[in-house]
Short mmCIF file of all heavy atoms in Angstrom, two decimals:
data_model
loop_
_atom_site.label_atom_id
_atom_site.label_comp_id
_atom_site.label_asym_id
_atom_site.label_seq_id
_atom_site.Cartn_x
_atom_site.Cartn_y
_atom_site.Cartn_z
N SER L 1 100.68 94.04 100.73
CA SER L 1 100.78 95.30 101.47
C SER L 1 99.40 95.90 101.66
O SER L 1 98.51 95.69 100.83
CB SER L 1 101.70 96.30 100.76
OG SER L 1 101.08 96.87 99.63
N LEU L 2 99.23 96.61 102.76
CA LEU L 2 97.95 97.19 103.12
C LEU L 2 98.21 98.57 103.74
O LEU L 2 98.91 98.68 104.74
CB LEU L 2 97.23 96.28 104.11
CG LEU L 2 95.80 96.60 104.50
CD1 LEU L 2 94.89 96.62 103.28
CD2 LEU L 2 95.29 95.58 105.52
N GLY L 3 97.69 99.61 103.11
CA GLY L 3 97.92 100.96 103.61
C GLY L 3 99.39 101.35 103.59
O GLY L 3 99.83 102.12 104.45
N GLY L 4 100.14 100.82 102.61
CA GLY L 4 101.55 101.15 102.50
C GLY L 4 102.46 100.37 103.43
O GLY L 4 103.67 100.63 103.48
N ILE L 5 101.91 99.40 104.17
CA ILE L 5 102.69 98.61 105.13
C ILE L 5 102.79 97.18 104.63
O ILE L 5 101.78 96.56 104.25
CB ILE L 5 102.04 98.64 106.53
CG1 ILE L 5 101.99 100.08 107.05
CG2 ILE L 5 102.79 97.74 107.50
CD1 ILE L 5 101.19 100.24 108.32
N ASP L 6 104.01 96.64 104.60
CA ASP L 6 104.21 95.26 104.16
C ASP L 6 103.54 94.29 105.11
O ASP L 6 103.65 94.42 106.34
CB ASP L 6 105.71 94.94 104.08
CG ASP L 6 106.39 95.68 102.94
OD1 ASP L 6 105.69 96.10 102.00
OD2 ASP L 6 107.63 95.83 103.00
N ILE L 7 102.83 93.32 104.57
CA ILE L 7 102.13 92.31 105.36
C ILE L 7 102.86 90.98 105.19
O ILE L 7 102.94 90.44 104.09
CB ILE L 7 100.66 92.16 104.91
CG1 ILE L 7 99.94 93.51 104.98
CG2 ILE L 7 99.96 91.11 105.74
CD1 ILE L 7 99.83 94.09 106.37
N ARG L 8 103.39 90.45 106.28
CA ARG L 8 104.14 89.20 106.24
C ARG L 8 103.51 88.10 107.08
O ARG L 8 103.98 86.97 107.07
CB ARG L 8 105.58 89.43 106.69
CG ARG L 8 106.33 90.44 105.81
CD ARG L 8 107.76 90.61 106.24
NE ARG L 8 108.46 91.57 105.39
CZ ARG L 8 109.03 91.28 104.23
NH1 ARG L 8 108.98 90.04 103.78
NH2 ARG L 8 109.64 92.21 103.53
N SER L 9 102.48 88.46 107.85
CA SER L 9 101.84 87.46 108.71
C SER L 9 100.43 87.91 109.03
O SER L 9 100.06 89.08 108.82
CB SER L 9 102.64 87.27 110.01
OG SER L 9 102.59 88.46 110.77
N THR L 10 99.62 86.98 109.57
CA THR L 10 98.27 87.36 110.00
C THR L 10 98.34 88.38 111.13
O THR L 10 97.46 89.23 111.26
CB THR L 10 97.49 86.12 110.47
OG1 THR L 10 98.25 85.44 111.48
CG2 THR L 10 97.24 85.17 109.31
N GLU L 11 99.39 88.30 111.95
CA GLU L 11 99.56 89.29 113.02
C GLU L 11 99.74 90.69 112.43
O GLU L 11 99.15 91.65 112.92
CB GLU L 11 100.76 88.92 113.89
CG GLU L 11 100.96 89.87 115.07
CD GLU L 11 102.20 89.52 115.88
OE1 GLU L 11 103.05 88.74 115.39
OE2 GLU L 11 102.32 90.04 117.00
N ASP L 12 100.56 90.80 111.38
CA ASP L 12 100.72 92.08 110.71
C ASP L 12 99.38 92.57 110.18
O ASP L 12 99.02 93.75 110.33
CB ASP L 12 101.69 91.96 109.53
CG ASP L 12 103.14 91.79 109.97
OD1 ASP L 12 103.43 92.04 111.14
OD2 ASP L 12 103.96 91.38 109.12
N PHE L 13 98.64 91.69 109.53
CA PHE L 13 97.35 92.06 108.95
C PHE L 13 96.39 92.59 110.01
O PHE L 13 95.80 93.66 109.87
CB PHE L 13 96.74 90.85 108.23
CG PHE L 13 95.34 91.07 107.76
CD1 PHE L 13 95.08 91.78 106.59
CD2 PHE L 13 94.26 90.57 108.48
CE1 PHE L 13 93.78 91.99 106.15
CE2 PHE L 13 92.96 90.77 108.05
CZ PHE L 13 92.72 91.48 106.88
N ASN L 14 96.21 91.82 111.11
CA ASN L 14 95.28 92.24 112.15
C ASN L 14 95.70 93.55 112.79
O ASN L 14 94.86 94.40 113.11
CB ASN L 14 95.17 91.15 113.22
CG ASN L 14 94.53 89.88 112.70
OD1 ASN L 14 93.72 89.93 111.78
ND2 ASN L 14 94.90 88.75 113.26
N SER L 15 97.00 93.73 112.99
CA SER L 15 97.51 94.96 113.60
C SER L 15 97.22 96.17 112.71
O SER L 15 96.80 97.22 113.21
CB SER L 15 99.01 94.83 113.85
OG SER L 15 99.55 96.03 114.35
N VAL L 16 97.42 96.02 111.41
CA VAL L 16 97.18 97.14 110.49
C VAL L 16 95.70 97.46 110.42
O VAL L 16 95.30 98.63 110.47
CB VAL L 16 97.75 96.81 109.10
CG1 VAL L 16 97.34 97.88 108.09
CG2 VAL L 16 99.26 96.72 109.15
N VAL L 17 94.86 96.45 110.32
CA VAL L 17 93.41 96.68 110.21
C VAL L 17 92.88 97.38 111.45
O VAL L 17 91.99 98.24 111.35
CB VAL L 17 92.67 95.35 109.96
CG1 VAL L 17 91.16 95.54 110.06
CG2 VAL L 17 93.02 94.80 108.58
N ARG L 18 93.41 97.04 112.63
CA ARG L 18 92.95 97.69 113.86
C ARG L 18 93.22 99.19 113.84
O ARG L 18 92.56 99.95 114.53
CB ARG L 18 93.62 97.06 115.08
CG ARG L 18 93.00 95.75 115.52
CD ARG L 18 93.41 95.40 116.95
NE ARG L 18 94.84 95.25 117.08
CZ ARG L 18 95.50 94.11 116.92
NH1 ARG L 18 94.83 93.01 116.59
NH2 ARG L 18 96.80 94.05 117.06
N GLY L 19 94.21 99.62 113.04
CA GLY L 19 94.54 101.04 112.99
C GLY L 19 93.69 101.84 112.04
O GLY L 19 93.79 103.08 111.99
N PHE L 20 92.81 101.18 111.27
CA PHE L 20 91.96 101.90 110.33
C PHE L 20 90.79 102.57 111.06
O PHE L 20 90.34 102.09 112.11
CB PHE L 20 91.39 100.97 109.26
CG PHE L 20 92.42 100.36 108.35
CD1 PHE L 20 92.17 99.18 107.67
CD2 PHE L 20 93.64 100.98 108.17
CE1 PHE L 20 93.11 98.62 106.82
CE2 PHE L 20 94.60 100.42 107.34
CZ PHE L 20 94.33 99.25 106.66
N THR L 21 90.29 103.65 110.48
CA THR L 21 89.06 104.27 110.97
C THR L 21 88.00 104.15 109.89
O THR L 21 88.31 104.04 108.70
CB THR L 21 89.28 105.75 111.34
OG1 THR L 21 89.89 106.43 110.22
CG2 THR L 21 90.18 105.88 112.54
N SER L 22 86.74 104.19 110.31
CA SER L 22 85.66 104.00 109.34
C SER L 22 85.68 105.13 108.31
O SER L 22 85.91 106.30 108.64
CB SER L 22 84.31 103.98 110.06
OG SER L 22 84.10 105.19 110.76
N GLY L 23 85.46 104.76 107.06
CA GLY L 23 85.47 105.73 105.97
C GLY L 23 86.84 105.94 105.36
O GLY L 23 86.96 106.62 104.33
N GLU L 24 87.88 105.38 105.97
CA GLU L 24 89.24 105.56 105.45
C GLU L 24 89.45 104.67 104.22
O GLU L 24 89.10 103.50 104.21
CB GLU L 24 90.25 105.19 106.54
CG GLU L 24 91.70 105.38 106.14
CD GLU L 24 92.66 105.05 107.27
OE1 GLU L 24 92.18 104.73 108.38
OE2 GLU L 24 93.87 105.12 107.04
N THR L 25 90.01 105.25 103.17
CA THR L 25 90.32 104.50 101.96
C THR L 25 91.77 104.05 102.00
O THR L 25 92.66 104.85 102.24
CB THR L 25 90.07 105.34 100.70
OG1 THR L 25 88.67 105.72 100.66
CG2 THR L 25 90.40 104.56 99.43
N VAL L 26 91.98 102.75 101.78
CA VAL L 26 93.29 102.14 101.94
C VAL L 26 93.70 101.45 100.64
O VAL L 26 92.88 100.78 100.00
CB VAL L 26 93.28 101.12 103.09
CG1 VAL L 26 94.67 100.57 103.33
CG2 VAL L 26 92.73 101.74 104.37
N ARG L 27 94.95 101.59 100.27
CA ARG L 27 95.46 100.91 99.08
C ARG L 27 95.98 99.52 99.45
O ARG L 27 96.56 99.32 100.50
CB ARG L 27 96.59 101.73 98.45
CG ARG L 27 96.14 103.09 97.93
CD ARG L 27 97.32 103.87 97.42
NE ARG L 27 96.95 105.24 97.07
CZ ARG L 27 97.82 106.21 96.80
NH1 ARG L 27 99.13 105.94 96.87
NH2 ARG L 27 97.41 107.41 96.50
N MET L 28 95.77 98.58 98.53
CA MET L 28 96.22 97.21 98.74
C MET L 28 97.05 96.77 97.54
O MET L 28 96.77 97.15 96.40
CB MET L 28 95.02 96.26 98.89
CG MET L 28 94.01 96.68 99.91
SD MET L 28 92.56 95.58 99.92
CE MET L 28 93.25 94.09 100.64
#
């Protein structure tokens, strides 16, 4: 999980990372 969102594929991962902004702290 990344930022509270379940990661089940590389597509999920790339989609979540694109939503981050610089300086944002994310839980993994």
Side-chain angles (χ1 to χ4, degrees):
S1 75
L2 187 59
I5 298 172
D6 290 339
I7 304 297
R8 300 182 180 276
S9 66
T10 55
E11 183 183 15
D12 288 345
F13 172 80
N14 293 332
S15 176
V16 172
V17 171
R18 280 197 300 270
F20 295 157
T21 53
S22 60
E24 182 178 357
T25 299
V26 184
R27 296 176 187 169
M28 308 175 71

